[in-house]
């Protein structure tokens, strides 16, 4: 089984207190697709400009990511530039150049339309709708989002949430959406908006699932050094969806373990700039960290 | 086996956005002692004034807390008054009246000196030293602290840390002590100061142990409503020490489960003002939440 992933495909210029890295491969779809590729085949939907480095296309291909849905248009690739503060928790956007993203109209190749697992990675909710409208009968649809869409596209987002099986957002976004300080009450309110599965990401504090079998408290892998957290949330949800797409049995039986795999994939993402660490990882290293997490949480 | 607990015994006036409660029973020793009493006998060391309500002495007694080490002096009981912000994470002190605490000189009754489990709950490090000096051969000594002592009594605190088996502090205090943002690196630095076991409390995000068998990621019990978090950290460490004191086998074999019991006891503390909820709890309710936490973390 494969996962269809739509989201942004970008060049990220990332500044941290220790280093500066211009025009790395980034974007929610890139991070999610590479993460998912450890577990399943990935069909990616996105757009890049004709300035998009060939080596990044090769990188996608090395991860066996199906690029039939990746449009290459005349113009510039979406470019985001951001800076992290010393503790790596706060970041500010220095620059956003939409480029070819401004007029992006994702059209799904025929071969994509029957995908059963769909990840609508962070991107404008209108585009997430547009992709979902082209799907035949997806089995499990999950969307991620960001504060920007809560601020400028809330009606679109609320309509999207109704159509989802699972919705993933971080704790501050959950607070913004529900006006609820308590994370468990916030999850209850989000269920009322539609999704059966609600996942709240808490960065280095892990994540929480609320689903038909109740809550699951998912730990983050203990990292002694965070080089660049950009894309960690996308890697988490990408890894989770990739794992789910190839697991036998029900979503309910697999989703906890899928979150753990997502969490571990995200941990590798944090250990290098952009995708540099994630792309070097082997499946066996992921499995090893999953085993470690089992030990770290057992009592 | 019993636990010896020294700390503050106070009257707490607590204001939250929803209610105001004057002169509740509070203090680190009160919270820790009641929490520990669910699992083991407790010998408490503290001081109160002659204004201390009789009903609070009765409350200690109902929990079978040995009060031979509680001094009742002429004067006023330590009174703390604080206010919580709407999200219950930030609090500010409105008033601190030391009263009889100002000249507190904890003298241990003979029957206390052979205690094997010692909890130096939050109190001035000089007093924690003074108690420890009177102990014969404690088997397991743990101390808690607060930012105030890092600010005004750091040399005393550093000397104390050297003498401990376990040191408990929250994440912001760990950062203040080590100047290290990463919690795992901070723990490593704290080990170098002496203790074999380092526990960092992260409020609603749970806690982390670093010990001879590596890390343990301890979840917080999911609470849908936090009425008053005052004393939750004291309840956590009190519950943990109470559980350890009556468990067979090595500390290493029991400390993870002990933290889970502490975490659950702290969850009850948060559900009422001061000790109102904790004192109503039955051991069976604690055991039920521990079982729930097992389910909430299994994958």
């Amino acid at each position: 089984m494969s996962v269809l992933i739509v989201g942004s495909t970008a060049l990220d210029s990332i500044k941290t207190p220790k280093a500066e890295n211009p025009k790395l491969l980034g974007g929610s779809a890139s991070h999610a697709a590479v993460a998912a590729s450890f577990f399943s085949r990935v069909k990616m939907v996105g757009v890049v400009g004709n300035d998009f480095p060939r080596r990044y296309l090769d990188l996608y291909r090395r991860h066996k990511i199906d690029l039939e849905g990746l449009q290459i248009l005349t113009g510039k690739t979406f470019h985001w530039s951001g800076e992290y503060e010393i503790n790596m928790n706060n970041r500010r956007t220095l620059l956003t150049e939409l480029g070819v993203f401004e007029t992006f109209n994702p059209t799904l190749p025929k071969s994509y339309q029957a995908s059963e697992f769909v990840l609508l990675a962070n991107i404008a909710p209108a585009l997430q709708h547009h992709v979902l409208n082209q799907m035949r009968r997806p089995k499990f649809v999950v969307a991620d989002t960001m504060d920007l869409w809560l601020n400028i596209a809330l009606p679109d987002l609320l309509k999207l949430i109704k159509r989802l099986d699972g919705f993933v957002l971080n704790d501050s976004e959950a607070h913004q959406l529900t006006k609820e300080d308590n994370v468990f009450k916030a999850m209850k309110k989000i269920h009322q908006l539609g999704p059966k599965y609600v996942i709240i990401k808490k960065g280095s504090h892990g994540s929480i699932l609320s689903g038909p079998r109740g809550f699951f408290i998912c730990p983050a892998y203990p990292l002694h050094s965070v080089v660049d957290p950009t894309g960690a949330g996308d890697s988490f949800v990408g890894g989770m969806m990739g794992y789910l797409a190839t697991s036998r049995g029900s979503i309910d039986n697999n989703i906890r373990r899928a979150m753990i795999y997502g969490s571990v994939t995200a941990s590798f993402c944090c250990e290098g700039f952009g995708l540099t660490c994630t792309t070097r990882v082997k499946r066996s290293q992921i499995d090893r960290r999953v085993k470690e997490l089992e030990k770290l949480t057992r009592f």
Side-chain angles (χ1 to χ4, degrees), chain A:
Chain A
M1 207 77 78
S2 66
V3 191
L4 180 143
I5 298 179
V6 62
S8 59
T9 39
L11 298 174
D12 283 354
S13 297
I14 298 163
K15 233 174 129 172
T16 69
K18 287 191 181 157
E20 207 173 328
N21 281 269
K23 303 216 171 171
L24 296 163
L25 177 59
S28 62
S30 304
H31 279 282
V34 170
S37 76
F38 291 105
F39 312 101
S40 108
R41 302 300 290 259
V42 177
K43 298 177 191 298
M44 194 168 76
V45 182
V47 65
V48 295
N50 52 3
D51 62 340
F52 193 69
R54 201 194 163 82
R55 68 180 184 282
Y56 292 158
L57 291 173
D58 292 341
L59 185 155
Y60 288 142
R61 285 189 195 107
R62 273 203 307 282
H63 282 270
K64 301 202 169 61
I65 295 167
D66 183 337
L67 299 180
E68 202 189 333
L70 182 71
Q71 300 172 28
I72 304 179
L73 302 182
T74 307
K76 283 196 150 191
T77 302
F78 176 39
H79 179 212
W80 175 81
S81 166
E83 185 173 9
Y84 284 89
E85 282 177 21
I86 187 112
N87 71 5
M88 294 287 174
N89 285 325
N90 300 319
R91 79 170 176 204
R92 64 194 183 98
T93 293
L94 300 173
L95 178 97
T96 308
E97 296 170 306
L98 285 178
V100 292
F101 223 83
E102 199 149 9
T103 54
F104 180 39
N105 182 21
T107 307
L108 261 52
K110 267 242 163 91
S111 64
Y112 279 39
Q113 295 170 4
S115 298
E116 296 195 338
F117 287 81
V118 179
L119 172 54
L120 308 169
N122 175 35
I123 196 178
L127 295 177
Q128 293 175 315
H129 273 291
H130 188 60
V131 166
L132 200 48
N133 290 341
Q134 296 169 65
M135 300 300 304
R136 223 171 287 156
R137 281 175 125 243
K139 182 182 160 188
F140 194 63
V141 181
V142 168
D144 194 358
T145 195
M146 74 183 288
D147 53 352
L148 176 66
W149 313 122
L150 288 163
N151 292 330
I152 70 167
L154 186 59
D156 279 355
L157 184 62
L158 288 172
K159 265 185 240 163
L160 180 80
I161 296 175
K162 269 191 203 162
R163 305 177 67 187
L164 302 173
D165 299 296
F167 186 45
V168 180
L169 70 177
N170 73 29
D171 42 5
S172 65
E173 290 155 5
H175 170 68
Q176 190 180 339
L177 179 62
T178 62
K179 314 289 175 244
E180 186 54 69
D181 278 305
N182 182 290
V183 75
F184 301 100
K185 275 191 189 163
M187 293 176 114
K188 206 175 164 184
K189 283 193 177 175
I190 297 169
H191 279 304
Q192 288 162 0
L193 299 175
K196 201 165 152 186
Y197 302 87
V198 178
I199 293 174
I200 291 187
K201 297 174 288 183
K202 307 192 297 170
S204 63
H205 300 302
S207 57
I208 304 174
L209 161 74
S210 172
R213 296 201 186 157
F215 297 117
F216 171 54
I217 301 171
C218 177
Y221 181 84
L223 287 179
H224 288 63
S225 170
V226 171
V227 174
D228 170 22
T230 313
D234 308 310
S235 300
F236 167 71
V237 72
M240 179 185 90
M241 287 298 278
Y243 184 86
L244 275 179
T246 49
S247 298
R248 285 186 194 175
S250 70
I251 298 288
D252 280 334
N253 272 345
N254 297 319
I255 192 163
R256 290 172 165 226
R257 210 162 180 83
M259 284 173 69
I260 293 286
Y261 272 90
S263 184
V264 163
T265 314
S267 74
F268 287 109
C269 173
C270 293
E271 289 183 296
F273 275 96
L275 277 154
T276 47
C277 189
T278 319
T279 50
R280 276 190 218 129
V281 166
K282 288 190 174 55
R283 172 67 193 258
S284 59
Q285 292 171 278
I286 294 175
D287 291 335
R288 211 172 305 142
R289 284 198 176 177
V290 168
K291 281 217 176 79
E292 271 186 79
L293 269 186
E294 277 174 354
K295 282 188 197 158
L296 290 171
T297 53
R298 203 179 290 154
F299 61 87

